[in-house]
Amino acid sequence: MIAAILLTIVFIFLVFNLFRRTGRLPPGPTPLPLIGNIHQLAYQVWRRKGIVAALNYYRKKYGNVYTIWLGPMPTVSITNYDMAHDVFIKNGKKCYDRQLAPILEHMTGGLGLLAANGENWAEMRRFTLLAFRRMGVGSGLIEKRIMNELNGRFKHLQGSNFIVVLILRCSELDAEIAKNGKVIVPVDFFDLTVGSVINSVLVGKRFDENTKDEFLTIKKLFDASTETFNLFDLNVPVWLLKWFFPSRFQLTWDARHNILNHVSKEAFERLKQLDSGKHDIDSKEPNDLVDCFLLKMREEREKGPDGHTGYTMEALKFVLHDLWLAGQGTTATTLYVGFMKLVNHPDVMLRIREELIRITQNSRDLTLQDRPKTPFLNATIAEIQRFTSVLNVNFWRINHETIKFKGYEIESGCMLTAQVGALHVNEELFENPEKFDPERFMRNEKLLQQTIPFGIGKRSCVGEQLARSELYLVFGNLLLRYDVKAHGATPTNEDVFPYSSAKLPDTTGKFEFAKL
Ligand code: HEM
């Protein structure tokens, strides 16, 4: 009897508390105590065959800001630019902490950038942005690294001599074209090109004939873990995953550890060489992010007790891991999806080429300085990024102060995010969102600002400038050099894992490149 009374009191308390909190939050489906809206969300995801479709359904029903309770936690999703700006820019200081997926936190111990918060994250983010700047991200220097990858001007150490290795991306293509008139280009081409640029920025090495298999193995393992990683993995406790879904846990663990081992091998080797005097860092011109970090580590240690204690080899491992992980697949997928779109829209490709030939007189490479003069290429890249929207569910933030906007009150401790995938199919901003139409950005220039593939606010993508440079130079220069067609049937551009937290296209498609 007493137990029944106690249970009733607890139940009434839960209902009352839920009712009180729901009243001030943005609208959404009616939640149940303890399970919230999980049952409705699961049904809508199943019925509409994907996470973005379900989030879009809730947008149409409740408006551009709505609340879904994941169990006892309210989550606020925002699906238009102005509201995202109100929350994540105007109130940016109140919501820069990330809701950490327990499995990721378990693996990183709160180090790095993606699954970190607080002072540690802030320091590593500042460091990364500064290190990128020192290596030329945002200036002409990064262009050199990217174009080197395409053009093949590389210095590799062999024995005691530097030799120039010319067998690189475009040279490989050109050699094949010289033999057969055309070359078949699979997704690996984009993976390796992007992987090499990132590896070169982070650890100063590109992937060559000897190391490309190592890269492709890590990449495949990582893709396999991403395919299954979804809302469930983002939220469940580690013990539950380990006990009830051990193979799922193991896949995520193995993929992350392979990347960790790969990137940290280089960093530890460098430290050894530095300690033994075999390597010296030019403090005015560090070669890569590892050099920048080791310099900073030395600097902080020399300050004694006043130095920042966050600069450790363990911290470096996770910073490298996160940059590699977040930067490789996202950029390569955008390039691959972009070319898939372009081969299906040859008119767009032709118009870009005309624009580029006009600018370069077909006598030089396209450079980052050309950007203001190539509005149609810029518009096409924006439309490609809108279509690609690499995340089905954006990472959640947690607000640590109440946020008031548009008459709502989001009390501290809520999970909130700009749902980039759903925002990019919002027909209030993008008329006929299912249509590939770069022209929409020419008709309305404001749209460029309202498309936010890199997220918004203090946790937005740290690699945005690097990725934008890569996309511009690789799309532009390949279109300037090659006639590109689909090889065989073009696979669907639809997301093949619509239930996963990341968007993944069917990557079995191939292209035929012929010299122009
Ligand atoms: C086309 C390419 C890319 C896209 C579409 C993309 C997209 C995103 C998005 C949507 C976020 C989450 C933003 C949020 O939480 O609101 C993010 C975060 C992040 N991205 Fe990117 N990204 C790209 C390339 C890169 C590159 C090249 C790097 C690094 C080399 C990188 C590193 C990161 C990191 C470290 C974070 C976490 C930042 C933090 O929590 O402070 N990304 N990215």
Side-chain angles (χ1 to χ4, degrees), residues 169-197:
R169 303 292 160 244
C170 283
S171 348
E172 280 167 16
L173 299 186
D174 293 347
E176 188 69 24
I177 292 171
K179 268 197 271 164
N180 302 319
K182 63 182 182 192
V183 58
I184 313 298
V185 173
V187 70
D188 288 358
F189 172 82
F190 302 106
D191 276 332
L192 274 166
T193 305
V194 172
S196 267
V197 171

